[in-house]
Amino acid sequence: SARPNGRVTGPCCFGGCSEFCCESKFLYRTLDGRDVSRVRKLVPTNCCDCLKQLCTDADNYKLEFYEGSTNEEKANTLGLALLLDYMFFERDLGVFTFKCPEEGKPAYIKFTLCLTFIYGCVCPCNATIPLVDPNDPSSILGAMGGGPAAPDAAEPEDPWLRNYLRNRKMHHRK
């Protein structure tokens, strides 16, 4: 029917890396306040589940129905589980994303720490780690490949002075 028949409450912080340690619970209640069901997104329980969670979009859910739930409410709960999975757990970029370099930009890895649900908006909380660009010593991590150039290795811009120093080095070798 077009009229709402229930209300769903859930966590404000979920998804991302928090999926490995925190269970997300959503409670479905009728408009008069009677508990109908609970949808839980389960945390991984073993190494295989952790790898599946990390590398795929597959998730495990548990639907729990309270006593007195009607068949229509149970069907609504099943639809609710599909909607929750799509809205909150499938639209993100996963726990981590590797981005290949674009023109003039270094590659990076982006971690989704968690997602927050604030006033109807899903807002990600991310951490980005830029990777070394070996061709660009001025990149964020490019300087970590070694120390600065030796003072005698830096050549002056003035052509006369540059040629003078090159000739001097060449003639004063031991």
Side-chain angles (χ1 to χ4, degrees), residues 155-162:
E155 293 188 339
E157 290 183 24
D158 186 338
W160 179 85
L161 186 56
R162 184 173 49 237

Side-chain angles (χ1 to χ4, degrees), residues 30 37 70 78 93 127 131 140 153:
T30 59
S37 61
T70 65
L78 184 58
L93 296 175
L131 300 177
I140 296 172

Side-chain angles (χ1 to χ4, degrees), residues 15-16 19 40-44 49 52-54 56-62 81 84-86 88-92 95:
E19 291 180 2
R40 296 185 333 180
K41 183 177 183 307
L42 303 175
V43 296
D49 287 346
K52 181 175 76 168
Q53 185 79 26
L54 191 64
T56 68
D57 281 335
D59 298 316
N60 293 324
Y61 290 90
K62 184 173 185 177
L84 291 173
D85 182 50
Y86 173 73
F88 298 124
F89 300 105
E90 297 298 324
R91 291 174 41 188
D92 64 351
V95 176

